[in-house]
Amino acid sequence: MTFINPVRHITFDAHDPYTVAEFWSHLTGYKLLDEPGDDEVLIDPEQPNVPGLLFIRVPEGKTVKNRIHLDIQPPHGTRDAEVERLAALGARIVSDRRVEDGRGWVVMADPEGNEFCVERGAEEIRPA
């Protein structure tokens, strides 16, 4: 039997769905499908059985740590280069958990404060 992923979207609450979706589109490479000012903005991986990221306008702000977050592993390059790239896109470092031997991760937040972790890049774990 073929497995079909039942998760269609991973949904984020946002004050400005388009701005947050635009950030995540740059992070993931997913296609941005909607327009500025829309109350719901989807970014689509354009791959079967891979969930999109959906950003929905809500009136309330984020007040506590996320109960769920995404772990990001750069497919190319290093964790440190990805942290710099994402900071240039508007993310901020929340907690730096890198250790001297090269392991660890960096907790970052998107422009509206949603946390995610940046792990070592695939090439750092399994060098070519």
Side-chain angles (χ1 to χ4, degrees):
M1 177 179 0
T2 302
F3 174 77
I4 298 176
N5 185 351
V7 178
R8 182 172 178 212
H9 299 128
I10 298 168
T11 303
F12 292 72
D13 291 347
H15 278 269
D16 183 350
Y18 187 85
T19 297
V20 181
E22 188 174 41
F23 169 83
W24 283 92
S25 176
H26 288 295
L27 188 156
T28 61
Y30 289 10
K31 183 177 182 180
L32 183 59
L33 297 180
D34 297 292
E35 301 294 324
D38 287 351
D39 287 337
E40 297 180 3
V41 180
L42 177 65
I43 62 172
D44 187 355
E46 299 183 300
Q47 297 178 28
N49 298 317
V50 177
L53 300 180
L54 180 63
F55 302 86
I56 297 178
R57 186 179 315 279
V58 297
E60 64 275 357
K62 181 179 175 304
T63 58
V64 298
K65 182 181 183 302
N66 294 18
R67 295 290 305 263
I68 189 170
H69 68 267
L70 302 180
D71 290 336
I72 305 301
Q73 181 184 55
H76 307 288
T78 67
R79 172 198 53 221
D80 297 348
E82 186 69 354
V83 167
E84 288 180 23
R85 182 180 83 87
L86 297 174
L89 291 172
R92 65 180 171 79
I93 294 176
V94 174
S95 177
D96 191 334
R97 299 188 181 181
R98 292 176 273 200
V99 293
E100 287 184 28
D101 69 1
R103 293 181 300 165
W105 62 92
V106 178
V107 181
M108 299 189 81
D110 72 16
E112 286 199 5
N114 299 299
E115 292 101 356
F116 59 96
C117 293
V118 181
E119 300 178 349
R120 288 187 297 167
E123 296 168 358
E124 291 177 286
I125 295 171
R126 295 175 296 283

